[in-house]
Amino acid sequence: MSRQIIVGNWKMNGLSKDSTARTEAILSALPDTAVDIVICPPFTQLAAIASLTANSPVACGAQDCHMESKGAFTGDISPEMLADLGVSHVILGHSERRQTHGEIDETVREKTVAAIKAGLTPIVCIGETEDQRETGQAEDVLGWQIKGSLPDGFNGILAYEPIWAIGTGLAATTSDITDAMTFLRAELVRQFGENGKTIQILYGGSVNAGNASEILAIPDVAGALVGGASLDPEAFLTIVRAASAH
Ligand code: PEP
């Protein structure tokens, strides 16, 4: 029996005061549910939030990291630096980074390898664009992203985030997600053998307090990666309450 995982991606939102208040609101109202919770604030808030969540059931994650452990990489943050702060997870290959920072599958794979080496749990994102979906290329794209972004022996978390559903308020339908999960599981097993059977797959894309129960009940959905709704503690906690162990 494994616990579902609810990951909050705050993106580039949060100054000191509101990040602390949001985290305290979550910590003070945690439901008694068997669920893993990860919150991913921006880099500037990681030290504070990692310290606030230490010794709590909530883990702290980053939204990106570099693939090298140190060196002449101005402005970058290494996975070792994250681990040093008490950060345990890192989101990698989010579509916003693929689209606006030119990240390709190979970059994502190198970062994933580095994150695992530093002891972090990578949450690797994949997903097709609306155009790829409409032209029938979604499965090919997802297959290639798995092949390119996940290293051999991958033992982290995969997040399926159809790009057309991110930040749009238009979550994929239950039937879309069911089909995608069936395809992704088969593809993981095809590419990784036995190991592919146990890789946890999250759904992300406009998950909110209203649709979380339905999405989290879909077979093989191991949890949710939540963007916008994770900024509202009440909404985030409602999503957490909708998760379960199964
Ligand atoms: C995300 O940023 O990963 C995401 C899924 O965002 P939203 O929930 O706002 O669609």
Side-chain angles (χ1 to χ4, degrees), residues 9 11 94 161 165-167 204-207 225-228:
N9 174 15
K11 310 194 186 193
H94 191 284
E161 299 208 300
I166 296 180
S206 296
V207 176
L225 178 49
V226 186

Side-chain angles (χ1 to χ4, degrees), residues 128-190:
E128 79 284 359
T129 62
E130 185 164 21
D131 187 51
Q132 287 162 342
R133 170 180 148 93
E134 279 172 5
T135 53
Q137 300 173 74
E139 292 192 350
D140 283 349
V141 168
L142 295 173
W144 280 109
Q145 286 180 334
I146 289 175
K147 190 167 176 50
S149 304
L150 305 187
D152 286 345
F154 178 71
N155 59 355
I157 298 167
L158 182 68
Y160 168 59
E161 299 208 300
I163 295 171
W164 46 271
I166 296 180
T168 58
L170 288 174
T173 63
T174 307
S175 142
D176 284 337
I177 301 173
T178 305
D179 290 350
M181 288 294 151
T182 306
F183 169 76
L184 291 171
R185 181 59 65 204
E187 191 61 18
L188 287 170
V189 172
R190 194 179 72 76

